[in-house]
Amino acid sequence: ILLKKGGNVVFFGELGEESNKLVSYFEERGASPIEKQENPAAWVLRAYAGEHSSSVDWGERYKSSDEAATVHTQIATCKESAAPSNKIFFSSTYSTPIKERMYLMCVRMLTIYRRSPPYNMTRMVISVLYAFLLGSVFIQSSFKRGNVTWSEEEAAALIGTVFLSLNVVGTTAMTMAIPVAKRARDVFYKHRASGMIGHNSMFLGLIVAEFPYLLALSFIYAV
């Protein structure tokens, strides 16, 4: 099968011995004759995609050719005479059970995260910096001895700092995970189109891969 720009069929059929059928098809429709000892593959590319082929619409010529009519006839015959016993049925969209798909996806995502030390180390360093930055708010209170009395404004400020510190870890983790998830998503669409995995496997794999690192980040941040 030969395709031109745009996905239009230029030729579909048997090549013949030494590509004689292919050469005859193009020569009969106005292509320059092939030279002696010339490579048929290079010649046919020049014939339908070369600089002298712009005036000829090879896609339209193929549609009106006997070869195209023969192909359409064969397709129609196969559709009409298809026996139910010859049809291929699949019990599932995917070739493997859902448990195996989820297991393999989790293993793969864990491997990807394990092989991304810059990403994980950056998250840990940022968590330590945020911990020191927000923890400095409580330095003055940590040196007080005995019964510590806070005013309403001080208590509200400290509670707000605790709430902010909880948001920092979650927001930072989500923001930094977006590029990694995007790269995995691009590959996922190819695998989904080929019937290898589905959304559930990808979703579970990301959660399982993120969880150990998020647990470590939370521990480091709290300590």
Side-chain angles (χ1 to χ4, degrees):
I1 183 171
L2 293 177
L3 302 176
K4 72 172 188 177
K5 186 177 181 180
N8 296 316
V9 179
V10 173
F11 176 82
F12 177 73
E14 297 181 2
L15 298 178
E17 185 178 357
E18 297 183 354
S19 302
N20 61 335
K21 293 184 179 180
L22 174 67
V23 173
S24 299
Y25 172 84
F26 280 94
E27 287 183 344
E28 291 172 359
R29 288 161 178 79
S32 58
I34 187 171
E35 297 179 1
K36 189 177 181 179
Q37 302 298 328
E38 187 174 6
N39 186 349
W43 172 82
V44 75
L45 288 175
R46 188 175 67 254
Y48 81 88
E51 56 183 11
H52 300 295
S53 63
S54 58
S55 59
V56 180
D57 191 344
W58 291 102
E60 292 298 327
R61 292 197 176 187
Y62 175 77
K63 291 180 182 179
S64 59
S65 66
D66 297 336
E67 286 78 2
T70 302
V71 171
H72 289 299
T73 302
Q74 292 175 349
I75 294 174
T77 303
C78 292
K79 288 183 178 179
E80 294 174 358
S81 61
S85 59
N86 294 332
K87 292 184 178 180
I88 300 176
F89 295 95
F90 297 96
S91 59
S92 174
T93 305
Y94 307 101
S95 58
T96 55
I98 185 170
K99 290 184 179 180
E100 185 174 356
R101 295 199 308 270
M102 288 185 173
Y103 169 75
L104 294 175
M105 198 64 201
C106 291
V107 172
R108 179 174 182 179
M109 293 306 300
L110 286 171
T111 303
I112 291 175
Y113 272 67
R114 188 175 67 253
R115 294 176 178 176
S116 305
Y119 165 65
N120 295 311
M121 291 302 298
T122 302
R123 291 197 296 178
M124 291 184 182
V125 171
I126 291 177
S127 296
V128 171
L129 292 178
Y130 275 129
F132 278 109
L133 179 63
L134 296 176
S136 62
V137 178
F138 300 92
I139 291 179
Q140 185 177 1
S141 301
S142 63
F143 288 103
K144 292 182 180 181
R145 296 291 183 269
N147 296 328
V148 179
T149 303
W150 291 335
S151 64
E152 183 177 351
E153 291 79 7
E154 290 176 339
L158 291 174
I159 293 174
T161 304
V162 172
F163 177 76
L164 178 62
S165 66
L166 295 176
N167 278 333
V168 164
V169 175
T171 304
T172 303
M174 288 187 295
T175 304
M176 297 189 67
I178 289 175
V180 179
K182 183 180 182 301
R183 289 195 298 269
R185 183 195 65 176
D186 295 339
V187 180
F188 161 73
Y189 283 134
K190 297 179 182 179
H191 291 339
R192 187 187 65 173
S194 62
M196 295 177 61
I197 57 175
H199 290 92
N200 296 335
S201 305
M202 182 68 179
F203 179 72
L204 180 63
L206 285 172
I207 292 178
V208 172
E210 280 281 351
F211 184 77
Y213 297 97
L214 291 179
L215 191 64
L217 289 176
S218 301
F219 177 78
I220 294 173
Y221 186 82
V223 173

